[in-house]
PDB file of all heavy atoms in Angstrom:
ATOM      1  N   THR A   1      44.769  27.764 -22.009  1.00 97.00           N
ATOM      2  CA  THR A   1      46.195  27.636 -22.366  1.00 97.00           C
ATOM      3  C   THR A   1      46.600  26.222 -22.678  1.00 97.00           C
ATOM      4  O   THR A   1      47.252  25.935 -23.702  1.00 97.00           O
ATOM      5  CB  THR A   1      47.065  28.162 -21.207  1.00 97.00           C
ATOM      6  OG1 THR A   1      46.633  29.426 -20.773  1.00 97.00           O
ATOM      7  CG2 THR A   1      48.538  28.223 -21.607  1.00 97.00           C
ATOM      8  N   GLY A   2      46.159  25.293 -21.788  1.00 97.00           N
ATOM      9  CA  GLY A   2      46.452  23.886 -22.008  1.00 97.00           C
ATOM     10  C   GLY A   2      45.863  23.368 -23.311  1.00 97.00           C
ATOM     11  O   GLY A   2      46.515  22.582 -24.065  1.00 97.00           O
ATOM     12  N   LEU A   3      44.636  23.772 -23.615  1.00 96.00           N
ATOM     13  CA  LEU A   3      43.972  23.325 -24.828  1.00 96.00           C
ATOM     14  C   LEU A   3      44.675  23.854 -26.074  1.00 96.00           C
ATOM     15  O   LEU A   3      44.886  23.121 -27.057  1.00 96.00           O
ATOM     16  CB  LEU A   3      42.524  23.776 -24.824  1.00 96.00           C
ATOM     17  CG  LEU A   3      41.633  23.319 -25.997  1.00 96.00           C
ATOM     18  CD1 LEU A   3      41.589  21.767 -26.044  1.00 96.00           C
ATOM     19  CD2 LEU A   3      40.242  23.885 -25.871  1.00 96.00           C
ATOM     20  N   LEU A   4      45.090  25.078 -26.051  1.00 96.00           N
ATOM     21  CA  LEU A   4      45.811  25.706 -27.204  1.00 96.00           C
ATOM     22  C   LEU A   4      47.114  24.979 -27.455  1.00 96.00           C
ATOM     23  O   LEU A   4      47.477  24.662 -28.607  1.00 96.00           O
ATOM     24  CB  LEU A   4      46.070  27.180 -26.957  1.00 96.00           C
ATOM     25  CG  LEU A   4      44.838  28.100 -27.017  1.00 96.00           C
ATOM     26  CD1 LEU A   4      45.164  29.473 -26.468  1.00 96.00           C
ATOM     27  CD2 LEU A   4      44.314  28.201 -28.449  1.00 96.00           C
ATOM     28  N   LEU A   5      47.881  24.690 -26.394  1.00 97.00           N
ATOM     29  CA  LEU A   5      49.153  24.009 -26.596  1.00 97.00           C
ATOM     30  C   LEU A   5      48.904  22.539 -26.987  1.00 97.00           C
ATOM     31  O   LEU A   5      49.689  21.980 -27.773  1.00 97.00           O
ATOM     32  CB  LEU A   5      49.998  24.080 -25.302  1.00 97.00           C
ATOM     33  CG  LEU A   5      51.400  23.503 -25.461  1.00 97.00           C
ATOM     34  CD1 LEU A   5      52.208  24.277 -26.476  1.00 97.00           C
ATOM     35  CD2 LEU A   5      52.130  23.492 -24.123  1.00 97.00           C
ATOM     36  N   ALA A   6      47.848  21.949 -26.475  1.00 96.00           N
ATOM     37  CA  ALA A   6      47.583  20.531 -26.801  1.00 96.00           C
ATOM     38  C   ALA A   6      47.376  20.330 -28.276  1.00 96.00           C
ATOM     39  O   ALA A   6      47.791  19.281 -28.811  1.00 96.00           O
ATOM     40  CB  ALA A   6      46.340  20.058 -26.019  1.00 96.00           C
ATOM     41  N   VAL A   7      46.821  21.293 -28.967  1.00 95.00           N
ATOM     42  CA  VAL A   7      46.534  21.135 -30.400  1.00 95.00           C
ATOM     43  C   VAL A   7      47.522  21.873 -31.274  1.00 95.00           C
ATOM     44  O   VAL A   7      47.437  21.766 -32.524  1.00 95.00           O
ATOM     45  CB  VAL A   7      45.091  21.594 -30.725  1.00 95.00           C
ATOM     46  CG1 VAL A   7      44.069  20.855 -29.904  1.00 95.00           C
ATOM     47  CG2 VAL A   7      44.936  23.115 -30.552  1.00 95.00           C
ATOM     48  N   ALA A   8      48.443  22.620 -30.705  1.00 95.00           N
ATOM     49  CA  ALA A   8      49.365  23.424 -31.485  1.00 95.00           C
ATOM     50  C   ALA A   8      50.238  22.557 -32.394  1.00 95.00           C
ATOM     51  O   ALA A   8      50.913  21.630 -31.922  1.00 95.00           O
ATOM     52  CB  ALA A   8      50.249  24.254 -30.561  1.00 95.00           C
ATOM     53  N   ALA A   9      50.230  22.865 -33.678  1.00 93.00           N
ATOM     54  CA  ALA A   9      50.928  22.009 -34.664  1.00 93.00           C
ATOM     55  C   ALA A   9      52.425  21.973 -34.390  1.00 93.00           C
ATOM     56  O   ALA A   9      53.073  20.912 -34.548  1.00 93.00           O
ATOM     57  CB  ALA A   9      50.658  22.538 -36.073  1.00 93.00           C
ATOM     58  N   ALA A  10      53.041  23.092 -34.004  1.00 94.00           N
ATOM     59  CA  ALA A  10      54.472  23.124 -33.777  1.00 94.00           C
ATOM     60  C   ALA A  10      54.853  22.245 -32.590  1.00 94.00           C
ATOM     61  O   ALA A  10      55.850  21.508 -32.656  1.00 94.00           O
ATOM     62  CB  ALA A  10      54.975  24.551 -33.548  1.00 94.00           C
ATOM     63  N   ASP A  11      54.102  22.326 -31.524  1.00 96.00           N
ATOM     64  CA  ASP A  11      54.422  21.507 -30.348  1.00 96.00           C
ATOM     65  C   ASP A  11      54.217  20.032 -30.654  1.00 96.00           C
ATOM     66  O   ASP A  11      54.997  19.192 -30.190  1.00 96.00           O
ATOM     67  CB  ASP A  11      53.574  21.944 -29.146  1.00 96.00           C
ATOM     68  CG  ASP A  11      54.180  21.462 -27.834  1.00 96.00           C
ATOM     69  OD1 ASP A  11      55.142  22.099 -27.363  1.00 96.00           O
ATOM     70  OD2 ASP A  11      53.704  20.452 -27.315  1.00 96.00           O
ATOM     71  N   ILE A  12      53.202  19.698 -31.403  1.00 95.00           N
ATOM     72  CA  ILE A  12      52.955  18.317 -31.784  1.00 95.00           C
ATOM     73  C   ILE A  12      54.094  17.803 -32.659  1.00 95.00           C
ATOM     74  O   ILE A  12      54.598  16.690 -32.508  1.00 95.00           O
ATOM     75  CB  ILE A  12      51.629  18.178 -32.538  1.00 95.00           C
ATOM     76  CG1 ILE A  12      50.465  18.452 -31.566  1.00 95.00           C
ATOM     77  CG2 ILE A  12      51.479  16.754 -33.123  1.00 95.00           C
ATOM     78  CD1 ILE A  12      49.091  18.496 -32.228  1.00 95.00           C
ATOM     79  N   ARG A  13      54.527  18.638 -33.603  1.00 94.00           N
ATOM     80  CA  ARG A  13      55.570  18.233 -34.512  1.00 94.00           C
ATOM     81  C   ARG A  13      56.839  17.915 -33.753  1.00 94.00           C
ATOM     82  O   ARG A  13      57.485  16.869 -33.955  1.00 94.00           O
ATOM     83  CB  ARG A  13      55.845  19.351 -35.533  1.00 94.00           C
ATOM     84  CG  ARG A  13      56.817  18.987 -36.676  1.00 94.00           C
ATOM     85  CD  ARG A  13      58.233  19.096 -36.285  1.00 94.00           C
ATOM     86  NE  ARG A  13      59.234  18.637 -37.146  1.00 94.00           N
ATOM     87  CZ  ARG A  13      59.694  19.232 -38.248  1.00 94.00           C
ATOM     88  NH1 ARG A  13      59.112  20.294 -38.693  1.00 94.00           N
ATOM     89  NH2 ARG A  13      60.765  18.765 -38.897  1.00 94.00           N
ATOM     90  N   TYR A  14      57.258  18.769 -32.789  1.00 95.00           N
ATOM     91  CA  TYR A  14      58.506  18.535 -32.084  1.00 95.00           C
ATOM     92  C   TYR A  14      58.353  17.553 -30.910  1.00 95.00           C
ATOM     93  O   TYR A  14      59.350  17.082 -30.377  1.00 95.00           O
ATOM     94  CB  TYR A  14      59.091  19.884 -31.615  1.00 95.00           C
ATOM     95  CG  TYR A  14      59.616  20.654 -32.812  1.00 95.00           C
ATOM     96  CD1 TYR A  14      58.872  21.670 -33.373  1.00 95.00           C
ATOM     97  CD2 TYR A  14      60.795  20.288 -33.426  1.00 95.00           C
ATOM     98  CE1 TYR A  14      59.320  22.330 -34.515  1.00 95.00           C
ATOM     99  CE2 TYR A  14      61.270  20.948 -34.555  1.00 95.00           C
ATOM    100  CZ  TYR A  14      60.520  21.941 -35.093  1.00 95.00           C
ATOM    101  OH  TYR A  14      60.949  22.585 -36.228  1.00 95.00           O
ATOM    102  N   ALA A  15      57.095  17.219 -30.582  1.00 96.00           N
ATOM    103  CA  ALA A  15      56.861  16.115 -29.664  1.00 96.00           C
ATOM    104  C   ALA A  15      57.107  14.777 -30.350  1.00 96.00           C
ATOM    105  O   ALA A  15      57.296  13.747 -29.695  1.00 96.00           O
ATOM    106  CB  ALA A  15      55.452  16.169 -29.136  1.00 96.00           C
ATOM    107  N   GLN A  16      57.113  14.792 -31.679  1.00 95.00           N
ATOM    108  CA  GLN A  16      57.325  13.558 -32.489  1.00 95.00           C
ATOM    109  C   GLN A  16      58.661  13.615 -33.200  1.00 95.00           C
ATOM    110  O   GLN A  16      58.811  12.977 -34.257  1.00 95.00           O
ATOM    111  CB  GLN A  16      56.190  13.435 -33.490  1.00 95.00           C
ATOM    112  CG  GLN A  16      54.814  13.260 -32.841  1.00 95.00           C
ATOM    113  CD  GLN A  16      53.730  13.036 -33.888  1.00 95.00           C
ATOM    114  OE1 GLN A  16      53.787  13.514 -35.004  1.00 95.00           O
ATOM    115  NE2 GLN A  16      52.720  12.272 -33.507  1.00 95.00           N
ATOM    116  N   GLU A  17      59.611  14.327 -32.652  1.00 94.00           N
ATOM    117  CA  GLU A  17      60.920  14.452 -33.300  1.00 94.00           C
ATOM    118  C   GLU A  17      62.016  14.307 -32.257  1.00 94.00           C
ATOM    119  O   GLU A  17      61.961  14.879 -31.156  1.00 94.00           O
ATOM    120  CB  GLU A  17      61.042  15.761 -33.996  1.00 94.00           C
ATOM    121  CG  GLU A  17      62.347  15.981 -34.706  1.00 94.00           C
ATOM    122  CD  GLU A  17      62.390  17.177 -35.612  1.00 94.00           C
ATOM    123  OE1 GLU A  17      61.449  17.265 -36.488  1.00 94.00           O
ATOM    124  OE2 GLU A  17      63.222  18.059 -35.429  1.00 94.00           O
ATOM    125  N   VAL A  18      63.049  13.547 -32.602  1.00 94.00           N
ATOM    126  CA  VAL A  18      64.243  13.427 -31.728  1.00 94.00           C
ATOM    127  C   VAL A  18      64.937  14.788 -31.711  1.00 94.00           C
ATOM    128  O   VAL A  18      65.310  15.296 -32.777  1.00 94.00           O
ATOM    129  CB  VAL A  18      65.165  12.315 -32.242  1.00 94.00           C
ATOM    130  CG1 VAL A  18      66.381  12.201 -31.339  1.00 94.00           C
ATOM    131  CG2 VAL A  18      64.432  10.999 -32.375  1.00 94.00           C
ATOM    132  N   GLY A  19      65.136  15.331 -30.555  1.00 92.00           N
ATOM    133  CA  GLY A  19      65.795  16.654 -30.485  1.00 92.00           C
ATOM    134  C   GLY A  19      65.437  17.347 -29.195  1.00 92.00           C
ATOM    135  O   GLY A  19      64.674  16.820 -28.349  1.00 92.00           O
ATOM    136  N   GLN A  20      65.942  18.556 -29.033  1.00 94.00           N
ATOM    137  CA  GLN A  20      65.851  19.263 -27.783  1.00 94.00           C
ATOM    138  C   GLN A  20      64.724  20.272 -27.679  1.00 94.00           C
ATOM    139  O   GLN A  20      64.523  20.850 -26.622  1.00 94.00           O
ATOM    140  CB  GLN A  20      67.183  19.966 -27.500  1.00 94.00           C
ATOM    141  CG  GLN A  20      67.424  21.207 -28.329  1.00 94.00           C
ATOM    142  CD  GLN A  20      68.097  20.868 -29.650  1.00 94.00           C
ATOM    143  OE1 GLN A  20      67.779  19.869 -30.279  1.00 94.00           O
ATOM    144  NE2 GLN A  20      68.984  21.727 -30.067  1.00 94.00           N
ATOM    145  N   TYR A  21      63.963  20.503 -28.748  1.00 96.00           N
ATOM    146  CA  TYR A  21      63.025  21.597 -28.746  1.00 96.00           C
ATOM    147  C   TYR A  21      61.836  21.369 -27.839  1.00 96.00           C
ATOM    148  O   TYR A  21      61.342  22.293 -27.161  1.00 96.00           O
ATOM    149  CB  TYR A  21      62.555  21.909 -30.172  1.00 96.00           C
ATOM    150  CG  TYR A  21      63.681  22.535 -30.947  1.00 96.00           C
ATOM    151  CD1 TYR A  21      64.470  21.755 -31.812  1.00 96.00           C
ATOM    152  CD2 TYR A  21      64.005  23.859 -30.821  1.00 96.00           C
ATOM    153  CE1 TYR A  21      65.538  22.296 -32.523  1.00 96.00           C
ATOM    154  CE2 TYR A  21      65.063  24.428 -31.547  1.00 96.00           C
ATOM    155  CZ  TYR A  21      65.827  23.639 -32.369  1.00 96.00           C
ATOM    156  OH  TYR A  21      66.881  24.187 -33.049  1.00 96.00           O
ATOM    157  N   SER A  22      61.354  20.160 -27.745  1.00 97.00           N
ATOM    158  CA  SER A  22      60.279  19.835 -26.829  1.00 97.00           C
ATOM    159  C   SER A  22      60.740  20.000 -25.394  1.00 97.00           C
ATOM    160  O   SER A  22      60.022  20.553 -24.552  1.00 97.00           O
ATOM    161  CB  SER A  22      59.772  18.382 -27.100  1.00 97.00           C
ATOM    162  OG  SER A  22      58.719  18.104 -26.261  1.00 97.00           O
ATOM    163  N   MET A  23      61.960  19.547 -25.098  1.00 97.00           N
ATOM    164  CA  MET A  23      62.500  19.729 -23.757  1.00 97.00           C
ATOM    165  C   MET A  23      62.719  21.180 -23.437  1.00 97.00           C
ATOM    166  O   MET A  23      62.484  21.637 -22.317  1.00 97.00           O
ATOM    167  CB  MET A  23      63.808  18.951 -23.646  1.00 97.00           C
ATOM    168  CG  MET A  23      64.513  19.088 -22.292  1.00 97.00           C
ATOM    169  SD  MET A  23      65.802  17.870 -21.972  1.00 97.00           S
ATOM    170  CE  MET A  23      66.861  18.091 -23.393  1.00 97.00           C
ATOM    171  N   MET A  24      63.129  21.989 -24.410  1.00 97.00           N
ATOM    172  CA  MET A  24      63.349  23.402 -24.198  1.00 97.00           C
ATOM    173  C   MET A  24      62.067  24.116 -23.767  1.00 97.00           C
ATOM    174  O   MET A  24      62.019  24.837 -22.803  1.00 97.00           O
ATOM    175  CB  MET A  24      63.889  24.043 -25.479  1.00 97.00           C
ATOM    176  CG  MET A  24      64.090  25.553 -25.394  1.00 97.00           C
ATOM    177  SD  MET A  24      64.553  26.328 -26.952  1.00 97.00           S
ATOM    178  CE  MET A  24      62.970  26.325 -27.805  1.00 97.00           C
ATOM    179  N   VAL A  25      60.971  23.851 -24.503  1.00 98.00           N
ATOM    180  CA  VAL A  25      59.687  24.480 -24.177  1.00 98.00           C
ATOM    181  C   VAL A  25      59.242  24.065 -22.773  1.00 98.00           C
ATOM    182  O   VAL A  25      58.719  24.861 -21.988  1.00 98.00           O
ATOM    183  CB  VAL A  25      58.621  24.111 -25.206  1.00 98.00           C
ATOM    184  CG1 VAL A  25      57.256  24.643 -24.789  1.00 98.00           C
ATOM    185  CG2 VAL A  25      59.000  24.695 -26.584  1.00 98.00           C
ATOM    186  N   CYS A  26      59.420  22.777 -22.436  1.00 98.00           N
ATOM    187  CA  CYS A  26      59.049  22.277 -21.142  1.00 98.00           C
ATOM    188  C   CYS A  26      59.823  22.967 -20.025  1.00 98.00           C
ATOM    189  O   CYS A  26      59.232  23.440 -19.027  1.00 98.00           O
ATOM    190  CB  CYS A  26      59.266  20.775 -21.090  1.00 98.00           C
ATOM    191  SG  CYS A  26      58.973  20.023 -19.460  1.00 98.00           S
ATOM    192  N   LEU A  27      61.145  23.069 -20.170  1.00 98.00           N
ATOM    193  CA  LEU A  27      61.969  23.680 -19.113  1.00 98.00           C
ATOM    194  C   LEU A  27      61.639  25.156 -18.973  1.00 98.00           C
ATOM    195  O   LEU A  27      61.618  25.694 -17.860  1.00 98.00           O
ATOM    196  CB  LEU A  27      63.430  23.481 -19.465  1.00 98.00           C
ATOM    197  CG  LEU A  27      63.934  22.041 -19.369  1.00 98.00           C
ATOM    198  CD1 LEU A  27      65.334  21.934 -19.973  1.00 98.00           C
ATOM    199  CD2 LEU A  27      63.908  21.565 -17.928  1.00 98.00           C
ATOM    200  N   LEU A  28      61.398  25.866 -20.054  1.00 98.00           N
ATOM    201  CA  LEU A  28      61.057  27.279 -19.977  1.00 98.00           C
ATOM    202  C   LEU A  28      59.717  27.497 -19.294  1.00 98.00           C
ATOM    203  O   LEU A  28      59.515  28.431 -18.530  1.00 98.00           O
ATOM    204  CB  LEU A  28      61.036  27.906 -21.365  1.00 98.00           C
ATOM    205  CG  LEU A  28      62.380  28.088 -22.053  1.00 98.00           C
ATOM    206  CD1 LEU A  28      62.231  28.720 -23.429  1.00 98.00           C
ATOM    207  CD2 LEU A  28      63.350  28.888 -21.196  1.00 98.00           C
ATOM    208  N   THR A  29      58.775  26.605 -19.533  1.00 98.00           N
ATOM    209  CA  THR A  29      57.453  26.662 -18.883  1.00 98.00           C
ATOM    210  C   THR A  29      57.615  26.527 -17.373  1.00 98.00           C
ATOM    211  O   THR A  29      57.065  27.338 -16.622  1.00 98.00           O
ATOM    212  CB  THR A  29      56.564  25.550 -19.419  1.00 98.00           C
ATOM    213  OG1 THR A  29      56.336  25.716 -20.831  1.00 98.00           O
ATOM    214  CG2 THR A  29      55.205  25.560 -18.703  1.00 98.00           C
ATOM    215  N   PHE A  30      58.388  25.541 -16.951  1.00 98.00           N
ATOM    216  CA  PHE A  30      58.517  25.353 -15.484  1.00 98.00           C
ATOM    217  C   PHE A  30      59.435  26.420 -14.877  1.00 98.00           C
ATOM    218  O   PHE A  30      59.240  26.771 -13.692  1.00 98.00           O
ATOM    219  CB  PHE A  30      59.028  23.946 -15.229  1.00 98.00           C
ATOM    220  CG  PHE A  30      57.934  22.926 -15.269  1.00 98.00           C
ATOM    221  CD1 PHE A  30      57.694  22.220 -16.413  1.00 98.00           C
ATOM    222  CD2 PHE A  30      57.151  22.693 -14.158  1.00 98.00           C
ATOM    223  CE1 PHE A  30      56.669  21.279 -16.466  1.00 98.00           C
ATOM    224  CE2 PHE A  30      56.107  21.768 -14.196  1.00 98.00           C
ATOM    225  CZ  PHE A  30      55.872  21.031 -15.349  1.00 98.00           C
ATOM    226  N   SER A  31      60.380  26.911 -15.613  1.00 97.00           N
ATOM    227  CA  SER A  31      61.215  28.008 -15.056  1.00 97.00           C
ATOM    228  C   SER A  31      60.333  29.227 -14.751  1.00 97.00           C
ATOM    229  O   SER A  31      60.491  29.910 -13.718  1.00 97.00           O
ATOM    230  CB  SER A  31      62.338  28.396 -16.012  1.00 97.00           C
ATOM    231  OG  SER A  31      61.885  29.129 -17.125  1.00 97.00           O
ATOM    232  N   LEU A  32      59.376  29.508 -15.676  1.00 98.00           N
ATOM    233  CA  LEU A  32      58.470  30.640 -15.421  1.00 98.00           C
ATOM    234  C   LEU A  32      57.517  30.371 -14.282  1.00 98.00           C
ATOM    235  O   LEU A  32      57.228  31.248 -13.469  1.00 98.00           O
ATOM    236  CB  LEU A  32      57.708  30.947 -16.727  1.00 98.00           C
ATOM    237  CG  LEU A  32      56.836  32.214 -16.702  1.00 98.00           C
ATOM    238  CD1 LEU A  32      57.680  33.451 -16.379  1.00 98.00           C
ATOM    239  CD2 LEU A  32      56.124  32.386 -18.053  1.00 98.00           C
ATOM    240  N   LEU A  33      57.027  29.143 -14.207  1.00 98.00           N
ATOM    241  CA  LEU A  33      56.141  28.787 -13.109  1.00 98.00           C
ATOM    242  C   LEU A  33      56.840  28.945 -11.761  1.00 98.00           C
ATOM    243  O   LEU A  33      56.292  29.542 -10.827  1.00 98.00           O
ATOM    244  CB  LEU A  33      55.686  27.319 -13.266  1.00 98.00           C
ATOM    245  CG  LEU A  33      54.820  26.749 -12.105  1.00 98.00           C
ATOM    246  CD1 LEU A  33      53.529  27.560 -11.940  1.00 98.00           C
ATOM    247  CD2 LEU A  33      54.492  25.277 -12.368  1.00 98.00           C
TER     248      LEU A  33
END
């Protein structure tokens, strides 16, 4: 799972963009955990 997300183009793109989408994915991940 970690490897797939590490290389995922969408996650990389929004990790390099000012905005809330990277934070959204992070918060949803921890809410599920």
Side-chain angles (χ1 to χ4, degrees):
T1 309
L3 184 59
L4 288 168
L5 186 62
V7 303
D11 199 79
I12 293 173
R13 188 279 172 77
Y14 289 100
Q16 297 185 328
E17 181 170 304
V18 181
Q20 73 274 38
Y21 290 97
S22 184
M23 178 164 55
M24 178 187 76
V25 174
C26 175
L27 292 171
L28 290 180
T29 299
F30 279 94
S31 75
L32 186 58
L33 175 60

